[in-house]
Structures are given as C-alpha cells and as structure tokens.
Amino acid sequence: SQKIEQNSEALNIQEGKTATLTCNYTNYSPAYLQWYRQDPGRGPVFLLLIRENEKEKRKERLKVTFDTTLKQSLFHITASQPADSATYLCALYPYLIQGAQKLVFGQGTRLTINP
Amino acid sequence: ETGVTQTPRHLVMGMTNKKSLKCEQHLGHNAMYWYKQSAKKPLELMFVYSLEERVENNSVPSRFSPECPNSSHLFLHLHTLQPEDSALYLCASSQAMGNYGYTFGSGTRLTVV
C-alpha cells in the first residue's frame, strides 16, 4: 500500500542547532516533493519544492534533499530559532489531474526550538 | 493573509443543520481543493476542481457537497453531519505546474454537536 511517513510526531531542538526532519514514502513515484509549515489554527504555508531530478534545494536557512532511491526527503533548518517552532508537513505530488496538482500529505512533525 | 480567504473561521452546527463553507481566491489560480484535517491524522483530500470542473471526489460522503461557480470561489455545503465530521476544513488553490505549491486559507474549524 502507499504510505508517507514523517519520522517523528514531535522533535525538540536547542536554539542555534540544526533541526533535521525526515519524510519517507513507499509505493509512490512522485514527480516532486514539497514541504509546508503549519502554525496552530492556521493553514499550511508552502516553503520549498524539490523535483525528482534535483538532489538538493536551499532557501535561506532551509535545505531540502530528495533521494528517490532511498525514497526519502530530509528537511533541515540551520541556526534554528524559537520562531521556527511549528508543525512541518511533507507532501508528494504523484500526478496531475486535468490541470490540478494532487498532493498527498504526511502526518507532520511538530518541531519545538527551545531557547 | 495568504490570498485565499475562508469564511467562517469557526462554525458550530447541529446534526440536522445545513450550512456552507466559503472559499475565495484572487490569485489567478486555476485549481481549487478541499481538505479535511483531523487531530493526529494527515490532511485528507476531499475534492479537486480544475477550471471549475470537479476532477476528483475522494469517496466523500454525500452529506458534503462541493460547488465551484467560478474560478475564484469554492463552497462546501454541509447537511446532516455527524460528530466525527468535526475537524479543520482547509481550502487551497494552485496553478497546475510551476515552482509553487498550494496556497491554503486559514481554515474553518467545524464542530458538530
């Protein structure tokens, strides 16, 4: 069966350290993978997209890797800050439906950065 | 604001009520989506509209009825809901392709009593 798993439900990191979140998937061949940030009571906010032929993508303190052999993506936040505390979601794009992207989401990892 | 506006933000309804959730975007996106988010579960895709045509219905019970009158507006009509339908309902929009993902609204927190 198809599955997307984010490695842990919750992660606590000391301020200034690098936070690393993992997204594993099975029985998908996604064209690309996305990461979102969600704050309590709000909708997710798009952060980064990485395509199947890209190994790594960066945006400011964020870095995403995508290994289609391991079927895994890693999401890194360097020099983490308490303001980075949120739930982070990975999402796969298995296919396009008549002009719409069908995204399938993982269950999220709740990241807490301690001062 | 994200560019996708959902109203109302909170809704409490009885099991016999009929209500509607509204979503509006003026980002020029051509696809719109309804997702359900329950505690400790991944976002569940409910409906997908592309250019105002419904292109996916993910085995959603008929007590949920979507409507997309134009490319900027999406509704979710609710009737005779169950308590287990209580959740955060999220609307999103997107372009078909590109380097950008979905733009989500802030959601409607629905409680069925």
Side-chain angles (χ1 to χ4, degrees):
Chain A
S1 64
Q2 294 177 316
K3 249 195 301 189
I4 307 170
E5 285 183 328
Q6 294 190 238
N7 63 326
S8 49
E9 191 176 323
L11 188 64
N12 287 274
I13 299 290
Q14 201 63 33
E15 182 177 5
K17 302 288 186 186
T18 296
T20 299
L21 284 62
T22 304
C23 177
N24 295 293
Y25 59 92
T26 54
N27 294 321
Y28 282 108
S29 296
Y32 54 75
L33 187 146
Q34 302 179 11
W35 285 89
Y36 289 77
R37 169 184 173 140
Q38 186 173 22
D39 291 289
R42 311 292 294 183
V45 174
F46 170 73
L47 296 175
L48 278 168
L49 178 154
I50 185 165
R51 299 185 185 281
E52 59 180 335
N53 60 351
E54 297 174 317
K55 296 292 184 193
E56 182 180 299
K57 207 77 167 283
R58 290 176 187 261
K59 179 182 173 183
E60 298 171 355
R61 293 183 296 110
L62 308 180
K63 185 177 88 171
V64 173
T65 64
F66 192 12
D67 189 325
T68 54
T69 302
L70 290 179
K71 296 188 182 294
Q72 181 181 81
S73 175
L74 299 179
F75 176 80
H76 307 273
I77 305 176
T78 58
S80 59
Q81 305 166 0
D84 295 325
S85 299
T87 296
Y88 291 86
L89 308 173
C90 72
L92 300 182
Y93 163 61
Y95 56 87
L96 196 64
I97 320 167
Q98 295 176 230
Q101 306 175 37
K102 175 168 178 171
L103 284 185
V104 183
F105 285 83
Q107 81 278 16
T109 295
R110 189 175 67 254
L111 177 65
T112 302
I113 308 298
N114 302 306
Chain B
E1 289 301 327
T2 65
V4 177
T5 304
Q6 288 189 245
T7 53
R9 288 296 310 277
H10 302 273
L11 178 62
V12 179
M13 60 186 287
M15 288 191 283
T16 58
N17 290 161
K18 285 186 182 181
K19 295 285 185 184
S20 295
L21 310 184
K22 180 182 175 183
C23 177
E24 186 172 351
Q25 62 95 5
H26 295 288
L27 300 170
H29 290 169
N30 54 19
M32 296 185 78
Y33 313 82
W34 280 115
Y35 277 84
K36 174 183 179 183
Q37 188 173 36
S38 305
K40 307 226 182 255
K41 290 176 72 174
L43 273 75
E44 299 171 54
L45 180 63
M46 299 176 72
F47 300 104
V48 181
Y49 276 83
S50 177
L51 298 172
E52 303 150 46
E53 180 186 341
R54 191 192 313 179
V55 296
E56 179 134 329
N57 174 345
N58 254 17
S59 304
V60 179
S62 59
R63 56 186 185 269
F64 296 91
S65 173
E67 179 190 1
C68 187
N70 56 60
S71 60
S72 299
H73 294 87
L74 185 66
F75 294 89
L76 188 63
H77 304 298
L78 316 171
H79 66 98
T80 58
L81 295 192
Q82 305 297 312
E84 60 265 27
D85 297 322
S86 299
L88 181 67
Y89 287 84
L90 290 161
C91 171
S93 68
S94 77
Q95 293 286 23
M97 297 296 287
N99 285 322
Y100 301 97
Y102 288 178
T103 301
F104 281 91
S106 294
T108 295
R109 173 66 63 185
L110 174 67
T111 303
V112 181
V113 297

